[in-house]
Amino acid sequence: MEASKEAFLREFGEHYGYPNGPKTIDEIRATEFKRLDGLVYLDHAGATMYSELQMEAIFKDFTTNVYGNPHSQSDTSSSTSDIVREARQQVLDYCKASPKDYSCIFTSGATAALKLVGEAFPWSCQSCFTYTMENHNSVLGIREYALDQGAAAFAIDVEETVHHGVSTGTAASMKVLQHQVQRRNEASSLEEPTGEAYNLFAFPSECNFSGLRFSLDLVKIIKEDPARILEGSPFCNGRWMVLIDAAKGSATEPPDLSLYPADFVVMSFYKLFGYPTGLGVLIARNDASRLLKKTYFSGGTVATSIADIDFVRRRKSVEELFEDGTISFLSIASVHHGFKILNSLTVSAISRHTASLAWYVRKKLLGLRHENGARVCTLYGDSKALFHDFGPTVSFNLKRSDGSWCGYREVEKLASLSGIQLRTGCFCNPGACAKYLGLSHLDLRSNFEAGHVCWDDHDIIHGKPTGAVRVSFGYMSTFEDAKKFIDFVTSSFVALPNWIESGYQLMQGSESRLGAASFYLKSITVYPIKSCAGFNVESWPLSTSAGLLHDREWVLTSLSGEILTQKKVPEMCFISTFIDLNKGILFVESPRCQVKLPINFITDSCNGGSEQIKLNGQRYEVQSYKNEVNIWFSNAIGRPCTLFRCFSSNHNFCLNKIKSASMGREVQSMLNFSNEAQFLLISEESVSDLSHRVSTKDVQKGACGAASQISPMRFRPNIVVSGGEPYAEDGWKNLKIGNKYFTSLGGCNRCQMINIVHDEAGLLQKSNEPLATLASYRRMKGKIFFGILLKYERSEPVGRDGDLWLQVGQDVHPNVS
């Protein structure tokens, strides 16, 4: 056993690994989660993993029993009704809720349960919806129902710790910050709230952003003495009801409703035991559920109705009243098998096991230091508040040794390359995100105006992080998972003595080496259709405006207008292309199509219609093609698609004839469907060095078989140069190829596309290389650079094209000054 695990077990061995359970954690992983071998899954707050034995039991259940629609009296329907009743009781037992006091309403998820409460709650202009800042968007959405009915809404922050629970009779010490009251109907704000209005207070049992658990004493405080929370508020006198969002917290600490009688509790089953998805529950106090006002009725919710007159009588039981249509009875039947696992381990043991891993990670992250002594990690949630514990979640951001932030997308991308799956962003919890990151309303609005939306790549704006990194643990998580994560952070983000920032060095100041080095143009590759295969040529003309002539001049889109690339449609790499300039024909082939497709880009340009599409924020005037062409490409990639051609080349040619020289220069910088620049240049020596590094890593890992040489074509370059030292191109400011001049626009940021190749059998293969190796020594400020981007600097006067050809073998003369 490693020393690190021995130290961990000395501290947490009493709690880790289910020492008194039917199986140890190692046995659980070996027999029930074999698919996790080689993978570190750390997003259990998003969705935990289902057990393989659990799924086998469900499959056996479904293949040996017959379950019918429960809205019937048949034997199969009666069997289903029995299973549903048992599932309801299991849910109530899980939260220690008596069926005399509570009902279990099945929904399509926790969000649907929250929506049900929001739309059916008895709001009035004297009502109030109050919620803690740390709440999921699905809880915040209830605000829309309240405000639309004239009610008020406001958020609160609970600042200080309750030292003794209310249940003990000891007074609690707390400080509550009330945020601005929101109203949409100003007239209703003039009415003084009376004690007859119904109000709703919502909080999570565990914050899905930070992992901090709220004390359930809040239930009793709000229901019995709301003035302690709402001191000075005119809403203190109303009838307060409490909603707990237990979607995150219930996996390790479900609310005990026998001690804390909340009115509504919501949960999702996939967060408890992985399967089923699309099924949640609303646990509602029977007296509270009678106050909910339901408008819509459906099959299963009515005792009787008459089709041609306004007559309907609804069912009396709470479950039947609110479960519209046929419930997801097969999903409900599978719930039993999930609870069987939790009950065999016990929730208390699961809580202790996962907590030990979370505390270990927090402790290790807080102890990380750069070589200059600066902290590496900032943890979120470590503040005074009305919380009594942490859940198995750790939320944080990382800093470089100079104090600048590492973007969370950088962390996520590198973690993925290391086989670690985690979560980044704000986790649909904008209040907690803003609170812990220190983002003001102005920051949030300006971030949105700068283009930042949920799930995008804008992780740092104006020097501030827009989200965080989150790791979370489930009942099947292991010490090895936590250790590999800590090792990853240490090796990737901790600056040690003599450690170059991110391992990335530009080859600047290398004039002396350039003097002795000679470079030449090794190959030219044209990619007519974006993301499809290109073809090599000995010589090729430059476009007057957009790089190599006809390079990425065509694009495939989905029927909804989405631009298709290999990132989403890897099969595009099997489409080969070739252009015959003399005939004016683009030839296209695919192993899925028997016929080679010729596209005459001189005559066919007159046959199709024109329209506009958008790519990378730019609008393009494009030409469409006849249906036969689109059918061919749809067959080639296995999905419906449309081919378009960019008008920019012909359009620019016309412009060049009538515009002035200064205007023509501006037009020349335009692109076809390239992502960033007109050209991508790769050095043969740089590729060779990278191949050697990957091979060395494989040998160190004991990989079997011959080392595969990385081809420059893996990077989809337009230009490959040879000569000089590896990475000399990093320092080039501009260069001359033959008698053509080009400006370097800097390094090319690489993504995981370079990890996908197709073998000789025509099969796609994906690995972590070479991006993982590049990340170890070519990373800077969250980007992994390889190759440089170029822009053609036309020297001929507009209207005089002259010799616009590149030729393989031409000398390349770089300039670093």
Side-chain angles (χ1 to χ4, degrees):
M1 184 181 296
E2 291 185 2
S4 57
K5 187 168 186 178
E6 289 180 349
F8 170 80
L9 292 177
R10 281 196 298 271
E11 186 171 1
F12 299 107
E14 181 183 353
H15 307 292
Y16 172 78
Y18 313 108
N20 301 316
K23 289 183 180 179
T24 67
I25 184 59
D26 293 335
E27 291 172 333
I28 290 172
R29 283 294 287 262
T31 59
E32 301 185 38
F33 295 92
K34 295 184 288 290
R35 68 189 188 280
L36 293 182
D37 289 350
L39 178 70
V40 176
Y41 183 83
L42 297 177
D43 187 26
H44 296 272
T48 197
M49 294 285 98
Y50 51 80
S51 158
E52 290 150 25
L53 294 184
Q54 172 191 353
M55 299 307 293
E56 290 174 7
I58 292 171
F59 181 75
K60 183 179 180 180
D61 184 357
F62 288 178
T63 53
T64 56
N65 294 296
V66 179
Y67 296 113
N69 191 316
H71 294 165
S72 179
Q73 298 298 315
S74 67
D75 290 342
T76 56
S77 298
S78 297
S79 296
T80 303
S81 296
D82 291 340
I83 289 292
V84 171
R85 274 192 294 272
E86 291 173 9
R88 294 191 204 278
Q89 188 59 52
Q90 283 184 302
V91 171
L92 295 178
D93 290 344
Y94 190 66
C95 294
K96 298 182 180 178
S98 168
K100 295 180 181 179
D101 300 320
Y102 286 92
S103 295
C104 169
I105 302 167
F106 287 114
T107 64
S108 64
T111 294
L114 292 165
K115 182 174 182 288
L116 190 159
V117 174
E119 65 186 6
F121 194 82
W123 304 109
S124 72
C125 60
Q126 296 183 338
S127 296
C128 180
F129 174 51
T130 303
Y131 51 93
T132 56
M133 279 291 287
E134 296 95 331
N135 258 308
H136 195 278
N137 267 325
S138 297
V139 175
L140 300 187
I142 295 175
R143 184 176 63 194
E144 296 298 297
Y145 292 108
L147 295 177
D148 276 351
Q149 294 297 318
F154 63 88
I156 65 169
D157 271 314
V158 185
E159 297 289 340
E160 294 183 0
T161 305
V162 170
H163 299 289
H164 301 284
V166 174
S167 57
T168 65
T170 305
S173 170
M174 72 180 72
K175 179 182 178 183
V176 175
L177 171 64
Q178 295 185 24
H179 291 255
Q180 179 180 354
V181 175
Q182 309 155 59
R183 277 193 185 273
R184 287 187 182 156
N185 184 354
E186 293 300 327
S188 62
S189 64
L190 302 177
E191 300 182 29
E192 187 71 21
T194 67
E196 301 302 315
Y198 289 100
N199 308 307
L200 183 64
F201 176 70
F203 71 97
S205 60
E206 180 184 320
C207 175
N208 76 314
F209 186 97
S210 66
L212 282 170
R213 288 175 174 148
F214 280 76
S215 171
L216 297 186
D217 284 330
L218 278 170
V219 175
K220 289 187 175 182
I221 293 173
I222 287 292
K223 292 178 74 69
E224 297 174 5
D225 189 11
R228 291 173 56 196
I229 292 287
L230 308 173
E231 183 178 357
S233 170
F235 299 101
C236 291
N237 297 325
R239 299 183 179 181
W240 280 93
M241 307 176 80
V242 178
L243 182 155
I244 299 176
D245 176 9
K248 170 63 182 74
S250 58
T252 54
E253 192 171 290
D256 185 340
L257 297 181
S258 68
L259 297 177
Y260 307 100
D263 298 282
F264 308 104
V265 176
V266 302
M267 298 189 301
S268 281
F269 292 103
Y270 73 95
K271 299 205 175 188
L272 296 179
F273 31 71
Y275 184 88
T277 58
L279 183 68
V281 66
L282 170 64
I283 303 174
R285 281 190 64 86
N286 294 328
D287 54 354
S289 63
R290 295 188 190 99
L291 299 173
L292 299 181
K293 301 176 181 179
K294 190 168 185 288
T295 302
Y296 176 77
F297 69 86
S298 66
T301 65
V302 295
T304 187
S305 66
I306 301 177
D308 58 343
I309 64 172
D310 182 12
F311 180 86
V312 61
R313 292 295 180 266
R314 301 171 189 263
R315 291 186 179 272
K316 298 298 183 181
S317 75
V318 174
E319 298 92 345
E320 291 178 321
L321 179 61
F322 288 101
E323 290 173 349
D324 290 318
T326 301
I327 56 178
S328 184
F329 57 88
L330 290 180
S331 294
I332 294 171
S334 68
V335 164
H336 159 74
H337 302 283
F339 276 123
K340 184 176 180 181
I341 291 175
L342 298 190
N343 293 336
S344 68
L345 296 174
T346 74
V347 175
S348 61
I350 291 172
S351 181
R352 293 192 302 273
H353 170 78
T354 54
S356 68
L357 295 172
W359 277 111
Y360 170 78
V361 168
R362 286 191 188 96
K363 180 179 178 181
K364 290 295 183 181
L365 288 177
L366 284 174
L368 294 178
R369 296 289 188 277
H370 290 295
E371 51 85 21
N372 61 0
R375 281 186 179 270
V376 175
C377 183
T378 297
L379 290 181
Y380 299 119
D382 189 15
S383 60
K384 291 182 179 180
L386 189 56
F387 308 104
H388 71 286
D389 203 354
F390 280 98
T393 297
V394 185
S395 180
F396 62 93
N397 271 311
L398 302 175
K399 280 189 172 183
R400 299 184 178 88
S401 57
D402 63 1
S404 63
W405 293 100
C406 297
Y408 57 75
R409 281 292 290 128
E410 175 184 0
V411 180
E412 184 175 35
K413 182 163 65 173
L414 295 178
S416 180
L417 291 174
S418 297
I420 300 172
Q421 305 300 309
L422 43 75
R423 188 76 170 268
T424 62
C426 275
F427 326 120
C428 297
N429 196 324
C433 189
K435 175 179 178 178
Y436 291 119
L437 300 182
L439 299 174
S440 66
H441 292 167
L442 180 61
D443 290 330
L444 297 173
R445 291 188 178 222
S446 64
N447 289 351
F448 176 73
E449 291 168 0
H452 173 53
V453 295
C454 295
W455 308 340
D456 67 12
D457 289 341
H458 297 295
D459 50 10
I460 302 289
I461 298 180
H462 306 308
K464 286 184 176 182
T466 60
V469 183
R470 184 185 74 186
V471 296
S472 50
F473 298 93
Y475 76 82
M476 74 298 296
S477 298
T478 64
F479 168 78
E480 287 72 22
D481 292 335
K483 176 67 162 52
K484 185 172 181 180
F485 170 71
I486 292 298
D487 290 345
F488 154 72
V489 173
T490 302
S491 62
S492 300
F493 295 98
V494 179
L496 302 174
N498 302 319
W499 187 83
I500 300 168
E501 178 69 23
S502 298
Y504 180 71
Q505 284 182 295
L506 291 174
M507 299 291 289
Q508 295 176 334
S510 56
E511 291 87 344
S512 59
R513 290 192 292 272
L514 281 176
S518 61
F519 301 86
Y520 70 95
L521 182 54
K522 180 69 179 289
S523 69
I524 303 170
T525 307
V526 184
Y527 304 90
I529 305 175
K530 181 177 178 66
S531 264
C532 293
F535 62 97
N536 293 334
V537 294
E538 288 296 311
S539 61
W540 197 259
L542 295 169
S543 164
T544 56
S545 61
L548 293 172
L549 185 65
H550 302 307
D551 186 59
R552 284 161 289 197
E553 196 166 299
W554 287 265
V555 68
L556 292 173
T557 72
S558 68
L559 298 186
S560 63
E562 179 187 14
I563 302 294
L564 299 181
T565 67
Q566 285 190 36
K567 287 183 179 180
K568 294 187 177 180
V569 191
E571 295 81 5
M572 293 177 69
C573 70
F574 296 124
I575 298 178
S576 60
T577 59
F578 176 74
I579 288 179
D580 188 323
L581 288 176
N582 294 324
K583 295 180 180 179
I585 296 178
L586 165 64
F587 294 99
V588 191
E589 292 185 89
S590 166
R592 293 183 173 182
C593 301
Q594 296 181 351
V595 180
K596 179 189 293 187
L597 177 68
I599 300 175
N600 191 312
F601 50 80
I602 297 177
T603 60
D604 289 356
S605 63
C606 303
N607 297 329
S610 65
E611 54 187 277
Q612 284 192 345
I613 63 174
K614 193 173 183 180
L615 173 66
N616 297 330
Q618 299 294 322
R619 289 197 172 275
Y620 291 83
E621 189 84 14
V622 295
Q623 166 208 330
S624 60
Y625 286 86
K626 294 181 178 179
N627 196 42
E628 304 87 77
V629 173
N630 296 327
I631 291 175
W632 189 96
F633 279 100
S634 298
N635 291 333
I637 66 172
R639 66 178 67 189
C641 64
T642 304
L643 180 71
F644 290 108
R645 182 188 181 191
C646 182
F647 268 147
S648 60
S649 293
N650 294 335
H651 182 58
N652 291 341
F653 181 76
C654 296
L655 282 177
N656 290 340
K657 290 182 178 179
I658 60 176
K659 296 281 186 178
S660 66
S662 60
M663 291 296 290
R665 170 72 71 177
E666 183 177 337
V667 170
Q668 289 169 16
S669 65
M670 294 177 63
L671 304 175
N672 283 338
F673 293 116
S674 305
N675 284 340
E676 297 180 272
Q678 297 172 347
F679 303 89
L680 170 62
L681 179 148
I682 294 291
S683 158
E684 191 174 47
E685 281 67 31
S686 299
V687 175
S688 178
D689 177 77
L690 172 60
S691 292
H692 175 72
R693 291 172 185 263
V694 173
S695 298
T696 302
K697 181 189 288 187
D698 289 341
V699 171
Q700 291 172 346
K701 289 182 178 180
C704 300
S708 58
Q709 191 71 12
I710 296 174
S711 166
M713 293 302 105
R714 177 82 75 94
F715 305 94
R716 295 178 63 83
N718 296 111
I719 296 171
V720 177
V721 299
S722 184
E725 298 182 4
Y727 315 109
E729 67 274 14
D730 291 342
W732 296 355
K733 303 297 183 184
N734 47 64
L735 63 150
K736 180 182 178 184
I737 304 177
N739 61 353
K740 310 299 180 299
Y741 292 88
F742 301 83
T743 298
S744 172
L745 303 179
C748 179
N749 182 27
R750 312 311 311 210
C751 68
Q752 295 202 27
M753 281 306 304
I754 64 175
N755 290 341
I756 300 176
V757 293
H758 59 279
D759 57 22
E760 295 178 356
L763 300 176
L764 292 170
Q765 292 187 341
K766 183 178 180 181
S767 69
N768 289 335
E769 296 294 355
L771 192 60
T773 296
L774 283 174
S776 68
Y777 74 107
R778 299 282 299 172
R779 192 171 103 243
M780 184 179 220
K781 299 292 185 181
K783 297 182 178 181
I784 303 169
F785 292 104
F786 191 76
I788 60 172
L789 302 171
L790 299 180
K791 171 187 172 184
Y792 172 50
E793 297 293 350
R794 179 170 178 162
S795 58
E796 303 84 358
V798 174
R800 294 174 54 189
D801 291 346
D803 178 17
L804 290 180
W805 287 69
L806 289 181
Q807 177 78 42
V808 170
Q810 286 178 324
D811 290 337
V812 176
H813 300 282
N815 180 14
V816 298
S817 61

